[in-house]
Amino acid sequence: MTLLDLSHPIWPGMPKIPVLPDVEIDPVTSIAGGAPMNIKALRLALHVGTHIDAPVHIVESGRSIDELPTERFDRHAVVSTVDRKPGEEITVDDLLAGGPPPQAGDFLFVHTGWDVKFETADYDDFPSLSPEAAEWAVAQGVSLVGSDTLTPDLPVHRRGTGFTFPVHRTLLSQDVLIGENLRNLGPLAGRRVRVRAFPLAVRGGDAGPARIVAEY
């Protein structure tokens, strides 16, 4: 068995949606400064880097990340590869052509290849999941939809006035979790694999930073 890390490391200045604060990692004590050990403090918005959105992110009465049972994060995932350009929508046909159909309870990971752009300005403009594809995922009984992009919804600069986050709202309102900023999905393309995607159990958290690992 080989384990494949699907999560980005966390570091100050890493890519994020503009509304979120920068990641900060500051020394508290240091061996070089005469302390007996090194200790650092982390300031991290819950939606920076690889993370899992909880229903309460967009549904006021939804469950927070710490209220979700641990078995929700240990599942099989189908990995569907799609070839779409920035601003284009990923359709149900794209998902079915790119990988095996998900079974009820599976994760659905959408591999666009955008993770290779993570440290460039091009990462901010990406293909998004169509609302119809989100509705289809709900109908299939998918447990989580994850992608190697900032969000499954439209890129920030492509959103019109009054944007309602249709993909987030469709999925999270039906208790389908969302994984964002995945990476390294290429080796898993077109396969169904075991995945462990445990987020930090932040009390009342609308999301949780996650270390997501696949077996292959």
Side-chain angles (χ1 to χ4, degrees):
M1 179 185 68
T2 300
L3 297 179
L4 182 63
D5 192 350
L6 307 182
S7 304
H8 289 281
I10 295 169
W11 74 91
M14 68 185 298
K16 61 180 181 59
I17 290 175
V19 71
L20 300 176
D22 286 330
V23 174
E24 297 178 7
I25 302 177
D26 299 309
V28 177
T29 64
S30 69
I31 295 173
M37 60 186 67
N38 292 313
I39 300 175
K40 293 182 178 180
L42 171 66
R43 182 176 186 263
L44 175 70
L46 298 182
H47 297 271
V48 174
T50 307
H51 65 276
I52 296 174
D53 289 348
V56 76
H57 179 38
I58 206 163
V59 180
E60 184 64 29
S61 60
R63 288 189 291 178
S64 57
I65 200 73
D66 60 306
E67 293 175 326
L68 296 166
T70 53
E71 55 265 26
R72 286 294 302 271
F73 308 110
D74 183 4
R75 299 288 177 99
H76 281 90
V78 296
V79 183
S80 181
T81 295
V82 300
D83 183 15
R84 287 288 182 178
K85 296 180 174 60
E88 292 185 341
E89 286 193 333
I90 298 166
T91 67
V92 174
D93 287 344
D94 292 332
L95 296 173
L96 289 173
Q103 300 177 24
D106 280 356
F107 296 164
L108 170 62
F109 286 167
V110 184
H111 170 232
T112 69
W114 240 253
D115 56 319
V116 301
K117 308 173 190 285
F118 190 67
E119 295 187 56
T120 74
D122 291 339
Y123 190 68
D124 294 337
D125 199 14
F126 47 86
S128 59
L129 201 66
S130 71
E132 293 77 18
E135 293 168 359
W136 172 82
V138 171
Q140 303 311 300
V142 166
S143 178
L144 178 150
V145 175
S147 69
D148 52 8
T149 58
L150 270 171
T151 170
D153 267 304
L154 282 173
V156 174
H157 68 281
R158 293 182 181 271
R159 299 171 185 173
T161 303
F163 183 72
T164 61
F165 298 90
V167 174
H168 272 73
R169 196 166 299 281
T170 295
L171 296 176
L172 294 177
S173 68
Q174 299 301 312
D175 205 42
V176 179
L177 309 181
I178 296 174
E180 298 175 332
N181 297 309
L182 277 67
R183 67 167 182 163
N184 293 336
L185 293 175
L188 309 177
R191 299 175 60 181
R192 184 172 184 264
V193 296
R194 192 77 185 188
V195 170
R196 291 170 176 84
F198 294 105
L200 288 178
V202 180
R203 184 175 293 182
D206 44 79
R211 191 72 178 266
I212 302 177
V213 177
E215 298 178 5
Y216 81 114

mmCIF file of all heavy atoms in Angstrom, residues 13-37:
data_model
loop_
_atom_site.group_PDB
_atom_site.id
_atom_site.type_symbol
_atom_site.label_atom_id
_atom_site.label_comp_id
_atom_site.label_asym_id
_atom_site.label_seq_id
_atom_site.Cartn_x
_atom_site.Cartn_y
_atom_site.Cartn_z
ATOM 1 N N GLY A 13 1.662 33.560 3.698
ATOM 2 C CA GLY A 13 1.594 34.090 2.352
ATOM 3 C C GLY A 13 1.064 33.119 1.329
ATOM 4 O O GLY A 13 1.062 33.415 0.133
ATOM 5 N N MET A 14 0.569 31.962 1.746
ATOM 6 C CA MET A 14 0.070 30.982 0.790
ATOM 7 C C MET A 14 -1.196 31.500 0.108
ATOM 8 O O MET A 14 -1.881 32.388 0.634
ATOM 9 C CB MET A 14 -0.190 29.643 1.483
ATOM 10 C CG MET A 14 -1.335 29.644 2.471
ATOM 11 S SD MET A 14 -1.490 28.055 3.361
ATOM 12 C CE MET A 14 -1.837 26.926 2.013
ATOM 13 N N PRO A 15 -1.550 30.981 -1.062
ATOM 14 C CA PRO A 15 -2.716 31.452 -1.804
ATOM 15 C C PRO A 15 -4.007 31.283 -1.010
ATOM 16 O O PRO A 15 -4.161 30.328 -0.232
ATOM 17 C CB PRO A 15 -2.719 30.560 -3.046
ATOM 18 C CG PRO A 15 -1.310 30.117 -3.196
ATOM 19 C CD PRO A 15 -0.791 29.969 -1.808
ATOM 20 N N LYS A 16 -4.943 32.230 -1.246
ATOM 21 C CA LYS A 16 -6.211 32.206 -0.532
ATOM 22 C C LYS A 16 -7.202 33.099 -1.265
ATOM 23 O O LYS A 16 -6.823 33.880 -2.138
ATOM 24 C CB LYS A 16 -6.033 32.713 0.904
ATOM 25 C CG LYS A 16 -5.527 34.143 0.957
ATOM 26 C CD LYS A 16 -5.348 34.659 2.344
ATOM 27 C CE LYS A 16 -4.870 36.097 2.334
ATOM 28 N NZ LYS A 16 -5.783 37.029 1.633
ATOM 29 N N ILE A 17 -8.469 33.012 -0.882
ATOM 30 C CA ILE A 17 -9.470 33.945 -1.375
ATOM 31 C C ILE A 17 -9.213 35.306 -0.726
ATOM 32 O O ILE A 17 -8.898 35.376 0.471
ATOM 33 C CB ILE A 17 -10.877 33.414 -1.066
ATOM 34 C CG1 ILE A 17 -11.155 32.185 -1.944
ATOM 35 C CG2 ILE A 17 -11.947 34.473 -1.271
ATOM 36 C CD1 ILE A 17 -12.447 31.494 -1.661
ATOM 37 N N PRO A 18 -9.329 36.409 -1.489
ATOM 38 C CA PRO A 18 -8.909 37.730 -0.981
ATOM 39 C C PRO A 18 -9.534 38.153 0.339
ATOM 40 O O PRO A 18 -8.891 38.857 1.130
ATOM 41 C CB PRO A 18 -9.328 38.679 -2.111
ATOM 42 C CG PRO A 18 -9.279 37.839 -3.347
ATOM 43 C CD PRO A 18 -9.714 36.476 -2.909
ATOM 44 N N VAL A 19 -10.768 37.757 0.622
ATOM 45 C CA VAL A 19 -11.440 38.209 1.842
ATOM 46 C C VAL A 19 -10.809 37.626 3.107
ATOM 47 O O VAL A 19 -11.005 38.161 4.207
ATOM 48 C CB VAL A 19 -12.943 37.851 1.786
ATOM 49 C CG1 VAL A 19 -13.165 36.357 1.930
ATOM 50 C CG2 VAL A 19 -13.725 38.621 2.842
ATOM 51 N N LEU A 20 -10.024 36.571 2.975
ATOM 52 C CA LEU A 20 -9.453 35.899 4.141
ATOM 53 C C LEU A 20 -8.130 36.526 4.561
ATOM 54 O O LEU A 20 -7.361 36.985 3.715
ATOM 55 C CB LEU A 20 -9.235 34.411 3.830
ATOM 56 C CG LEU A 20 -10.488 33.623 3.454
ATOM 57 C CD1 LEU A 20 -10.104 32.203 3.076
ATOM 58 C CD2 LEU A 20 -11.500 33.631 4.587
ATOM 59 N N PRO A 21 -7.832 36.529 5.857
ATOM 60 C CA PRO A 21 -6.539 37.057 6.315
ATOM 61 C C PRO A 21 -5.398 36.135 5.922
ATOM 62 O O PRO A 21 -5.590 34.935 5.704
ATOM 63 C CB PRO A 21 -6.705 37.116 7.835
ATOM 64 C CG PRO A 21 -7.711 36.055 8.143
ATOM 65 C CD PRO A 21 -8.668 36.058 6.979
ATOM 66 N N ASP A 22 -4.202 36.704 5.854
ATOM 67 C CA ASP A 22 -3.011 35.912 5.548
ATOM 68 C C ASP A 22 -2.716 34.927 6.679
ATOM 69 O O ASP A 22 -3.011 35.181 7.864
ATOM 70 C CB ASP A 22 -1.795 36.814 5.360
ATOM 71 C CG ASP A 22 -1.828 37.563 4.041
ATOM 72 O OD1 ASP A 22 -2.397 37.036 3.066
ATOM 73 O OD2 ASP A 22 -1.285 38.684 3.987
ATOM 74 N N VAL A 23 -2.111 33.819 6.318
ATOM 75 C CA VAL A 23 -1.602 32.880 7.317
ATOM 76 C C VAL A 23 -0.415 33.517 8.032
ATOM 77 O O VAL A 23 0.449 34.136 7.402
ATOM 78 C CB VAL A 23 -1.166 31.564 6.645
ATOM 79 C CG1 VAL A 23 -0.502 30.630 7.650
ATOM 80 C CG2 VAL A 23 -2.351 30.880 5.985
ATOM 81 N N GLU A 24 -0.382 33.372 9.346
ATOM 82 C CA GLU A 24 0.742 33.860 10.136
ATOM 83 C C GLU A 24 1.271 32.730 11.006
ATOM 84 O O GLU A 24 0.498 32.028 11.657
ATOM 85 C CB GLU A 24 0.318 35.027 11.028
ATOM 86 C CG GLU A 24 -0.149 36.253 10.256
ATOM 87 C CD GLU A 24 -0.607 37.385 11.170
ATOM 88 O OE1 GLU A 24 -0.422 37.250 12.404
ATOM 89 O OE2 GLU A 24 -1.157 38.366 10.666
ATOM 90 N N ILE A 25 2.575 32.539 10.990
ATOM 91 C CA ILE A 25 3.233 31.566 11.851
ATOM 92 C C ILE A 25 4.349 32.312 12.585
ATOM 93 O O ILE A 25 5.318 32.763 11.965
ATOM 94 C CB ILE A 25 3.805 30.385 11.056
ATOM 95 C CG1 ILE A 25 2.694 29.685 10.264
ATOM 96 C CG2 ILE A 25 4.495 29.395 11.991
ATOM 97 C CD1 ILE A 25 3.169 28.537 9.394
ATOM 98 N N ASP A 26 4.184 32.461 13.889
ATOM 99 C CA ASP A 26 5.110 33.277 14.681
ATOM 100 C C ASP A 26 5.760 32.451 15.773
ATOM 101 O O ASP A 26 5.118 31.588 16.392
ATOM 102 C CB ASP A 26 4.354 34.449 15.320
ATOM 103 C CG ASP A 26 3.722 35.363 14.280
ATOM 104 O OD1 ASP A 26 4.436 35.780 13.357
ATOM 105 O OD2 ASP A 26 2.517 35.648 14.399
ATOM 106 N N PRO A 27 7.040 32.718 16.050
ATOM 107 C CA PRO A 27 7.709 31.999 17.133
ATOM 108 C C PRO A 27 7.182 32.447 18.501
ATOM 109 O O PRO A 27 6.955 33.626 18.728
ATOM 110 C CB PRO A 27 9.179 32.378 16.941
ATOM 111 C CG PRO A 27 9.147 33.695 16.251
ATOM 112 C CD PRO A 27 7.935 33.669 15.366
ATOM 113 N N VAL A 28 6.984 31.492 19.363
ATOM 114 C CA VAL A 28 6.640 31.779 20.757
ATOM 115 C C VAL A 28 7.881 31.633 21.621
ATOM 116 O O VAL A 28 8.213 32.529 22.409
ATOM 117 C CB VAL A 28 5.532 30.824 21.247
ATOM 118 C CG1 VAL A 28 5.226 31.059 22.721
ATOM 119 C CG2 VAL A 28 4.274 30.988 20.413
ATOM 120 N N THR A 29 8.568 30.516 21.482
ATOM 121 C CA THR A 29 9.878 30.322 22.109
ATOM 122 C C THR A 29 10.782 29.643 21.093
ATOM 123 O O THR A 29 10.318 28.987 20.154
ATOM 124 C CB THR A 29 9.785 29.444 23.370
ATOM 125 O OG1 THR A 29 9.350 28.132 22.996
ATOM 126 C CG2 THR A 29 8.808 30.044 24.384
ATOM 127 N N SER A 30 12.103 29.778 21.290
ATOM 128 C CA SER A 30 13.045 29.136 20.367
ATOM 129 C C SER A 30 14.276 28.665 21.117
ATOM 130 O O SER A 30 14.722 29.303 22.084
ATOM 131 C CB SER A 30 13.457 30.095 19.249
ATOM 132 O OG SER A 30 14.263 31.134 19.740
ATOM 133 N N ILE A 31 14.795 27.540 20.662
ATOM 134 C CA ILE A 31 16.036 27.028 21.239
ATOM 135 C C ILE A 31 17.169 28.001 20.974
ATOM 136 O O ILE A 31 18.014 28.255 21.836
ATOM 137 C CB ILE A 31 16.339 25.634 20.657
ATOM 138 C CG1 ILE A 31 15.252 24.640 21.085
ATOM 139 C CG2 ILE A 31 17.717 25.147 21.091
ATOM 140 C CD1 ILE A 31 15.349 23.284 20.430
ATOM 141 N N ALA A 32 17.174 28.593 19.765
ATOM 142 C CA ALA A 32 18.220 29.566 19.431
ATOM 143 C C ALA A 32 18.178 30.772 20.353
ATOM 144 O O ALA A 32 19.209 31.409 20.612
ATOM 145 C CB ALA A 32 18.054 30.020 17.986
ATOM 146 N N GLY A 33 16.982 31.100 20.856
ATOM 147 C CA GLY A 33 16.848 32.238 21.770
ATOM 148 C C GLY A 33 17.056 31.874 23.226
ATOM 149 O O GLY A 33 16.823 32.714 24.111
ATOM 150 N N GLY A 34 17.427 30.632 23.481
ATOM 151 C CA GLY A 34 17.726 30.224 24.843
ATOM 152 C C GLY A 34 16.629 29.422 25.524
ATOM 153 O O GLY A 34 16.808 28.983 26.669
ATOM 154 N N ALA A 35 15.513 29.189 24.870
ATOM 155 C CA ALA A 35 14.424 28.407 25.448
ATOM 156 C C ALA A 35 14.735 26.917 25.327
ATOM 157 O O ALA A 35 15.542 26.503 24.485
ATOM 158 C CB ALA A 35 13.117 28.730 24.747
ATOM 159 N N PRO A 36 14.114 26.076 26.149
ATOM 160 C CA PRO A 36 14.390 24.641 26.086
ATOM 161 C C PRO A 36 13.757 23.949 24.879
ATOM 162 O O PRO A 36 14.080 22.792 24.590
ATOM 163 C CB PRO A 36 13.786 24.109 27.395
ATOM 164 C CG PRO A 36 12.721 25.082 27.741
ATOM 165 C CD PRO A 36 13.233 26.421 27.285
ATOM 166 N N MET A 37 12.840 24.640 24.181
ATOM 167 C CA MET A 37 12.191 24.008 23.039
ATOM 168 C C MET A 37 11.684 25.067 22.066
ATOM 169 O O MET A 37 11.551 26.252 22.423
ATOM 170 C CB MET A 37 11.029 23.132 23.496
ATOM 171 C CG MET A 37 9.939 23.867 24.232
ATOM 172 S SD MET A 37 8.665 22.761 24.911
ATOM 173 C CE MET A 37 9.612 21.880 26.160
#
